[in-house]
Amino acid sequence: MWNMIKLMLGLAVITMIGIACSPKKESPKMLVLYYSQTSNTKGVAQEIATRLNADIEEIVMVEPYDTAFEATIERCMKEREQGIIPEIQPLKSNIADYDIIFIGFPVWFGTYAPPVAALLDKIDLSGKKVVPFCTFGSGGLESSTKDLAAKQPNAEILQGYGVRAARMDAVAKEVDQFLKASGFIEGEFFQPAAFPEQHPVNADEAAIFDAAVDGYPMLNAKSTAVAMREIPEGMEYMFSAKDQPRDDKGGEPRDILVYVTVEKGKAPVFTKVVR
């Protein structure tokens, strides 16, 4: 009996030593990389890095784009036509040191801006978790995420975050919710219900859509169907719409999705377009 007690005590001591000496699980190392032309993407990058206590680095061009919008677009279009990807300066960060990498960019021509294309040509993200985030005029998170996955097929591309440049005042709150919902930080977050099946728009719903897109020059759309769901601030609508070609553009009408938020006491605003 005494021998059995001594054996049990010995096993207990060994177990306690094993627990005490087991290595502490390290938190993943995170890096926020971003290219910003107008400081909007920089603002999102800083918000993410601050909340995660992550390292942060800007993607810097060797020959920066002009600060004027028209000049930047003109140069970018010429580069696209000629298959030119602009040069960027070498990163100071060592990608191999990080487990999770956030990559931020403005959306141009439906995808990430050319300096990010240059970055993706120079680095290997195999085995890394990659989180895209972007700023845009109307949309582009989904298309740029698809392009990113095609460019880095051995990386694990996670759900990203995007925001319209016209809605930068929503960044702090939305980034907080996004990081919590994605499991990067702890805390309560709102998980909206799935959208129900769409139904043909009525006159009131069409008026909400028209008010949300009014004045935005890149959309010439009419809503055809809608679904809606409750959010803490009010209602969110998912409109199916036909985007008609502008007068200076040819082509056929395109089917698009337009997401619209109507907060209590505020005018409708569209949050993104999925083409």
Side-chain angles (χ1 to χ4, degrees):
M1 182 68 178
W2 176 241
N3 289 336
M4 179 62 70
I5 294 174
K6 287 195 294 183
L7 176 61
M8 292 176 67
L9 288 173
L11 290 173
V13 171
I14 292 172
T15 301
M16 291 175 64
I17 292 174
I19 293 173
C21 297
S22 60
K24 183 179 179 181
K25 186 177 180 180
E26 294 185 1
S27 299
K29 289 199 66 177
M30 302 184 190
L31 172 66
V32 178
L33 289 174
Y34 72 95
Y35 171 74
S36 189
Q37 175 71 6
T38 64
S39 79
N40 284 337
T41 308
K42 179 179 180 179
V44 180
Q46 291 175 329
E47 188 72 31
I48 292 172
T50 298
R51 291 182 179 272
L52 295 177
N53 194 27
D55 293 339
I56 185 170
E57 181 173 350
E58 182 178 7
I59 300 165
V60 180
M61 297 179 66
V62 173
E63 296 183 11
Y65 287 111
D66 195 296
T67 55
F69 175 78
E70 293 296 337
T72 295
I73 294 302
E74 182 179 354
R75 174 182 162 185
C76 187
M77 290 181 66
K78 288 181 179 179
E79 290 174 340
R80 284 168 56 87
E81 292 170 357
Q82 299 172 18
I84 297 173
I85 297 178
E87 285 294 318
I88 60 172
Q89 296 180 13
L91 292 179
K92 298 175 182 177
S93 304
N94 183 6
I95 295 296
D97 293 340
Y98 296 92
D99 307 296
I100 301 172
I101 299 173
F102 289 74
I103 298 182
F105 46 85
V107 173
W108 294 353
F109 302 100
T111 191
Y112 40 73
V116 173
L119 172 75
L120 296 174
D121 281 343
K122 293 178 179 295
I123 62 175
D124 182 7
L125 297 174
S126 296
K128 307 293 184 184
K129 295 182 186 295
V130 179
V131 185
F133 65 94
C134 59
T135 57
F136 45 74
S138 59
L141 172 63
E142 292 78 11
S143 53
S144 55
T145 298
K146 182 178 178 180
D147 292 342
L148 177 55
K151 194 69 174 179
Q152 295 283 340
N154 296 318
E156 182 182 353
I157 311 299
L158 304 183
Q159 177 65 42
Y161 168 74
V163 62
R164 284 185 64 207
R167 298 184 59 254
M168 291 301 294
D169 58 346
V171 166
K173 182 176 181 179
E174 290 186 352
V175 165
D176 176 73
Q177 290 290 294
F178 169 69
L179 294 177
K180 288 175 180 176
S182 301
F184 291 112
I185 58 177
E186 295 182 352
E188 295 183 357
F189 62 91
F190 176 76
Q191 183 64 50
F195 279 106
E197 184 177 351
Q198 288 188 321
H199 60 263
V201 295
N202 59 36
D204 290 340
E205 292 160 347
I208 289 173
F209 177 87
D210 292 342
V213 302
D214 182 49
Y216 186 73
M218 303 303 290
L219 281 179
N220 183 25
K222 288 296 180 182
S223 58
T224 58
V226 66
M228 63 197 74
R229 63 186 179 186
E230 291 187 4
I231 57 175
E233 300 83 5
M235 296 293 293
E236 182 181 20
Y237 297 77
M238 178 179 66
F239 287 95
S240 290
K242 290 282 187 181
D243 193 20
Q244 304 292 330
R246 288 174 291 158
D247 294 339
D248 60 338
K249 302 289 183 182
E252 297 294 323
R254 291 196 298 174
D255 293 321
I256 60 174
L257 290 176
V258 181
Y259 291 79
V260 173
T261 295
V262 182
E263 297 185 12
K264 297 178 179 69
K266 296 185 179 181
V269 59
F270 83 86
T271 57
K272 71 174 179 177
V273 176
V274 180
R275 294 178 172 86

